Amino acid sequence: MELPSVCSHPCWFLLTLLLGLLLWAKRRRTWDPRKCPTDLTGKTVIVTGANSGIGKCVALDLARRNARTILACRNRERGQAAVEEIRAATGNPAVLLRLLDTSSLASVRAFAQAVLREEKRLDVLVNNAGLTGLPFTITPEGLEKTFATNYLGPFLLTNLLLDLLKASAPARIVNVSSFRHSAGTADGRYLTGQERLRGSDATYNSTKLMNVLFTAELARRLQGTGVIANTLSPGVVSTSIMRHFSWAVRMLFKLIRPFIKSAEQGAVSTIYCAVSEEVSGITGKYFDSDCGLTLPSMAARDAGLARKLWEESERLTGLTDGPRH
């Protein structure tokens, strides 16, 4: 899932093979979702980007725990196929599809309005949807598409659903980031394309840094509400996120696939943050792909930067009055 950064190095082929070998050799025993007794009967969960990859594996696990499981997907056909697959695998009829494109604030608002109208509670929100490899693109709403998809859309969605989460407390918010956040930078001008980064890799890294900053500030604001918010890295995972890259990069990805995590393995840290008893009461933290509590980068721990990003995000999403630039 998080491989593109290595492909910019002049010796990317050999370095990527070496990375794959190291990941295979260093793979540690991690928390096992199958041994976690958490039952979600009577609970409602939302997983974005749940029609494939990590998101689908997370939704499958939560449905197995008897949760009312809402798959928030951009594509109706693929989303419905995932719903039918999960229903058949779990025997849980309460697996539903709701359309959501996190690159569109209008879509996010429509989705949130439907949830608030139709659902009585929300116990877990997993912001998993994300992409990389796209060229610089400005959406009809004036936002850079990768930043909107990976960060600003989830920011708005979470804020619109906060009252329902609080009313359902104890509740959890899980934001899927990446170890690549440490190579990112956070500047509100990226969100509208006023300031451009060089390459899709730098863009991806920066969206993932914003996910960590957002989580830290969100957790601070939610203190005392019974809602916790954490973020995590799934590791280097074999999913379809590479689909926007060139055929050469995709071929390389296939070559090292035996050495990296499957989508099921990559979903473990997300599931851990969503349901494990160990995370109960922990908030505003970053977990690595082996479910270990880890310090994120120095930039990700900058409280002032997190507040500044939050305020700019509020303005851009219309959550507060202020100039939209």
Side-chain angles (χ1 to χ4, degrees):
M1 178 178 175
E2 304 175 27
L3 194 64
S5 59
V6 300
C7 300
S8 61
H9 194 283
C11 300
W12 56 267
F13 182 79
L14 292 176
L15 288 171
T16 306
L17 283 178
L18 178 61
L19 173 63
L21 288 168
L22 287 172
L23 289 167
W24 176 78
K26 287 188 166 185
R27 190 174 292 170
R28 306 198 305 259
R29 181 182 295 274
T30 62
W31 178 82
D32 187 347
R34 295 169 296 182
K35 297 179 180 178
C36 174
T38 300
D39 182 82
L40 297 176
T41 299
K43 308 291 187 181
T44 298
V45 305
I46 293 173
V47 183
T48 69
N51 65 277
S52 65
I54 289 172
K56 186 166 79 170
C57 292
V58 172
L60 177 64
D61 180 274
L62 300 180
R64 280 185 175 141
R65 298 175 191 277
N66 304 308
R68 177 176 171 83
T69 306
I70 299 173
L71 278 62
C73 305
R74 185 165 51 90
N75 183 283
R76 183 183 296 276
E77 183 178 347
R78 291 197 293 268
Q80 190 59 43
V83 165
E84 298 302 331
E85 182 181 338
I86 293 172
R87 284 176 179 170
T90 63
N92 183 347
V95 180
L96 313 169
L97 172 66
R98 296 290 183 267
L99 295 182
L100 170 66
D101 178 357
T102 56
S103 74
S104 164
L105 300 187
S107 175
V108 170
R109 290 185 183 281
F111 175 88
Q113 287 169 3
V115 169
L116 295 175
R117 183 173 62 248
E118 299 168 7
E119 304 298 330
K120 296 180 180 179
R121 61 183 304 118
L122 177 58
D123 301 273
V124 181
L125 170 62
V126 179
N127 287 310
N128 165 77
L131 52 74
T132 187
L134 287 182
F136 177 84
T137 305
I138 298 297
T139 71
E141 294 173 318
L143 303 172
E144 202 289 318
K145 188 167 187 176
T146 301
F147 279 99
T149 302
N150 294 5
Y151 166 67
L152 200 60
F155 172 89
L156 176 61
L157 176 64
T158 302
N159 275 279
L160 293 176
L161 297 178
L162 275 185
D163 286 345
L164 186 58
L165 285 158
K166 291 175 184 177
S168 308
R172 300 189 185 192
I173 299 165
V174 182
N175 294 324
V176 178
S177 180
S178 164
F179 68 90
R180 293 304 307 164
H181 80 271
S182 61
T185 55
D187 186 328
R189 294 175 296 176
Y190 296 158
L191 301 175
T192 57
Q194 282 183 297
E195 190 74 20
R196 293 180 58 169
L197 289 159
R198 291 187 177 182
S200 60
D201 185 27
T203 297
Y204 176 79
N205 297 341
S206 296
T207 65
K208 297 292 113 176
L209 173 58
M210 289 182 177
N211 291 151
V212 182
L213 290 165
F214 163 48
T215 304
E217 178 64 11
L218 175 64
R220 186 186 70 80
R221 291 169 180 253
L222 287 174
Q223 288 178 0
T225 65
V227 181
I228 62 172
N230 291 295
T231 187
L232 67 294
S233 169
V236 182
V237 185
S238 176
T239 71
S240 61
I241 198 169
M242 300 298 292
R243 65 189 179 275
H244 297 297
F245 282 84
S246 68
W247 68 268
V249 173
R250 295 197 305 272
M251 184 61 65
L252 175 62
F253 194 69
K254 289 181 180 180
L255 185 63
I256 70 163
R257 187 168 290 167
F259 306 109
I260 63 179
K261 290 186 176 185
S262 66
E264 183 179 7
Q265 292 167 329
V268 168
S269 54
T270 303
I271 297 169
Y272 179 77
C273 289
V275 303
S276 75
E277 294 176 356
E278 293 89 335
V279 175
S280 180
I282 296 175
T283 190
K285 302 303 182 183
Y286 172 78
F287 293 83
D288 66 19
S289 60
D290 293 311
C291 306
L293 190 57
T294 306
L295 278 178
S297 68
M298 287 188 64
R301 306 197 304 270
D302 186 332
L305 182 60
R307 284 193 294 272
K308 183 177 180 182
L309 178 64
W310 182 286
E311 291 166 1
E312 179 65 7
S313 301
E314 280 186 321
R315 285 192 290 271
L316 290 173
T317 55
L319 292 174
T320 58
D321 293 331
R324 190 185 191 284
H325 20 206

